[in-house]
Amino acid sequence: MKLTILGNNGPYPCTGGACSGYLLSSDSGRTKLLIDCGTGTLANLSKHIAWDALDAVILSHLHFDHMSDMLPMQYALQFHPRAEALPVYAPLTPAPVRALLEVPAYALHPMEDAQIGEFSVRFFPGRHPVQSFAMRIECDGAAFVYTGDTNEIEGLDRFAEGADLLLADAGLSSADWKPTAPHLSAAGCGRLARSANVKRLLLTHLNPKYAPATLEAEARAEFEHAAFTAIGAEYAI
């Protein structure tokens, strides 16, 4: 698989940045999946694939920094029509936000384990102010895990066990983190990666108030193979 970073900020984009959005492609190129579609993601997506090339979209949760570009995407699909509506996997709540996705361009699906092209997809509920899901995607013997937005939660390390690549929510510094926070700290991401015996850790959901190098150092103190994502970067899995 190949992971392309379309956006890595949260809860708002830095200057020239974009919020959470990730393109996952199979090695064959026959399956392309958009994971989250936050502010600024859409423009970056169009640099990499044609509008009709996506097999599906998965939205980890329905906060705007993870789904707002789904609103203008429907207009793009009107000008670049598909043979069938684009499958979109999204939580059921918050209902008013999900209702914004109930348009002809999208075929909505619940967050239930699925086979999407060559990808086998499983979900795990996270701990966040709204319904949020981690996901594990396997293809050709490789495993990719994305935490979505979550704080520490029992069982997440077992869900991520042995993943070739873990993409984790490093929304907070250790100084700002607390047990009731809506996000992991960068150090917490490192501990999760170590506990889950993953091969590599990528940090995302960078709050523009932080220096990436500072959070990266916090993660590496817990797990050596940790690095922050970069928009436009591609990672082989």
Side-chain angles (χ1 to χ4, degrees):
M1 293 180 282
K2 180 178 70 175
L3 179 70
T4 303
I5 308 301
L6 306 175
N8 62 356
N9 284 141
Y12 62 95
C14 67
T15 302
C19 289
S20 292
Y22 316 97
L23 176 63
L24 188 67
S25 306
S26 64
D27 288 343
S28 71
R30 292 193 298 269
T31 305
K32 295 180 173 65
L33 178 64
L34 177 62
I35 301 170
D36 284 346
C37 191
T39 310
T41 294
L42 196 60
N44 290 332
L45 176 67
S46 65
K47 298 175 184 177
H48 296 277
I49 63 171
W51 292 110
D52 61 352
L54 280 177
D55 290 276
V57 177
I58 299 178
L59 302 175
S60 64
H61 65 293
L62 296 180
H63 275 157
F64 294 134
D65 57 326
H66 291 255
M67 61 73 63
S68 63
D69 270 15
M70 292 298 294
L71 306 185
M73 184 189 283
Q74 65 177 302
Y75 303 134
L77 294 179
Q78 289 175 12
F79 288 94
H80 303 273
R82 300 167 52 94
E84 298 179 348
L86 176 64
V88 177
Y89 293 77
L92 298 176
T93 60
V97 181
R98 195 174 195 273
L100 298 174
L101 302 173
E102 294 174 355
V103 297
Y106 303 140
L108 295 182
H109 296 265
M111 302 296 269
E112 297 176 353
D113 296 354
Q115 187 72 34
I116 301 174
E118 298 163 276
F119 294 151
S120 176
V121 184
R122 292 193 288 133
F123 296 103
F124 182 87
R127 185 159 68 92
H128 200 54
V130 300
Q131 192 179 30
S132 184
F133 291 86
M135 60 199 74
R136 184 183 183 107
I137 300 171
E138 299 183 356
C139 180
D140 293 331
F144 164 71
V145 173
Y146 170 46
T147 65
D149 283 8
T150 185
N151 201 335
E152 295 176 356
I153 184 169
E154 174 69 23
L156 184 56
D157 56 347
R158 293 189 295 275
F159 183 73
E161 177 66 33
D164 295 278
L165 179 63
L166 172 65
L167 179 67
D169 166 21
L172 295 169
S173 67
S174 294
D176 290 341
W177 182 87
K178 55 185 178 181
T180 56
H183 302 282
L184 290 164
S185 67
C189 293
R191 289 191 292 271
L192 172 63
R194 176 160 42 85
S195 178
N197 299 302
V198 306
K199 294 184 175 65
R200 189 164 39 148
L201 169 65
L202 289 179
L203 306 171
T204 192
H205 206 279
L206 172 66
N207 189 315
K209 70 178 279 188
Y210 298 121
T214 300
L215 295 189
E216 189 174 273
E218 291 185 8
R220 284 184 174 174
E222 301 288 345
F223 184 76
E224 179 182 2
H225 305 292
F228 247 109
T229 53
I231 292 179
E234 297 179 345
Y235 303 90
I237 305 171

